[in-house]
Amino acid sequence: MKNDFLANKGNYRNLRCFQLAEHLYDITFVFCDRFITVGDRTKDQMIQAARSIKQNIAEGSSAAAMSTQSEMFLTNVGKSSQQELLLDYEDYLMTRGLARWSVEDRRIMNVRNALKQRMTREFMIQKAKDWNDETIANVAITIIHQCDKMLSGLIDYQKRKFLANGGIKEQMTRARLSARQNQSSQSSQSTQSSHNKSD
């Protein structure tokens, strides 16, 4: 149907940024379980920030059918949660005198190449259980930067879509007008057909 203003949405599991967000949540959970002391508020904050990223990507995609504005808002909330989590990982490395891998570091390139292989969540969780805290933090930071670029692109796409199609009310109005025009056209054709038969 051409004027389906409630088109199918919510295929967030196919979004690469959501898949990366799942990996980020999984390794953050393992990281906090292994290296953050029970009772430290940072533990809950990091897990909640990681959860917020993937949940808001999913909710934003699902909300797209009814509101592009809600879709953009939720996607941006997820993007903001990334920055919160990024700071926590950076602070962890800094305060413990651990290395922050540079962009040219061979290990960063290995992480990026590995992520292209579309690893399963189970595989990533198992790897995180074997890594030390410095490695997990740097892998998480690498994922955050990759996911952040993707979310920036997603938000730009959502903005263009909103400018092109408008909000749900505008789409409903267009669909209603189009339906009326179709009914009017069909009615005219039916009337014309009846006249032709009479003649």
Side-chain angles (χ1 to χ4, degrees):
M1 183 177 179
K2 254 185 177 179
N3 297 302
D4 187 4
F5 52 85
L6 290 181
N8 255 340
K9 304 286 182 180
N11 57 339
Y12 57 87
R13 292 187 185 278
N14 295 326
L15 293 174
R16 185 58 183 147
C17 57
F18 177 81
Q19 295 165 0
L20 290 179
E22 282 190 319
H23 288 322
L24 185 58
Y25 173 80
D26 293 338
I27 66 173
T28 296
F29 190 93
V30 173
F31 175 84
C32 290
D33 185 55
R34 292 180 61 199
F35 302 112
I36 305 295
T37 307
V38 174
D40 187 336
R41 287 181 59 193
T42 305
K43 185 170 190 171
D44 288 338
Q45 290 171 346
M46 291 182 72
I47 291 174
Q48 287 304 314
R51 181 180 183 278
S52 172
I53 298 165
K54 73 184 188 72
Q55 294 299 113
N56 279 290
I57 293 172
E59 290 177 27
S61 178
S62 298
M66 287 300 294
S67 173
T68 303
Q69 290 167 292
S70 294
E71 180 186 19
M72 286 189 289
F73 172 77
L74 290 166
T75 304
N76 198 56
V77 170
K79 195 172 187 298
S80 297
S81 294
Q82 281 189 153
Q83 296 309 307
E84 180 184 342
L85 187 58
L86 174 63
L87 289 174
D88 283 330
Y89 275 117
E90 289 177 337
D91 288 345
Y92 182 93
L93 292 173
M94 177 64 69
T95 56
R96 289 161 179 79
L98 300 174
R100 167 76 186 275
W101 300 348
S102 68
V103 178
E104 295 80 17
D105 194 303
R106 175 183 52 80
R107 290 170 293 185
I108 291 284
M109 299 305 298
N110 289 340
V111 172
R112 289 175 178 168
N113 289 332
L115 290 172
K116 292 177 182 177
Q117 304 306 312
R118 307 296 177 98
M119 296 171 289
T120 65
R121 295 182 68 180
E122 291 78 12
F123 178 83
M124 182 65 89
I125 290 170
Q126 190 55 54
K127 293 295 290 183
K129 289 179 179 178
D130 296 333
W131 290 329
N132 60 27
D133 52 347
E134 179 184 303
T135 299
I136 297 181
N138 278 285
V139 169
I141 289 171
T142 303
I143 293 175
I144 288 171
H145 285 309
Q146 286 201 346
C147 195
D148 189 63
K149 289 180 182 177
M150 292 179 185
L151 286 182
S152 293
L154 181 59
I155 291 171
D156 285 342
Y157 165 75
Q158 291 165 353
K159 287 178 180 176
R160 293 194 301 272
K161 183 175 65 173
F162 179 74
L163 291 174
N165 302 323
I168 186 66
K169 289 183 179 178
E170 294 173 79
Q171 295 177 49
M172 289 173 72
T173 298
R174 287 198 297 269
R176 187 167 58 249
L177 290 174
S178 177
R180 286 178 179 173
Q181 289 174 353
N182 287 337
Q183 288 176 349
S184 177
S185 175
Q186 290 172 2
S187 177
S188 296
Q189 290 175 1
S190 177
T191 302
Q192 184 62 45
S193 176
S194 296
H195 285 316
N196 290 340
K197 289 178 180 179
S198 297
D199 293 344

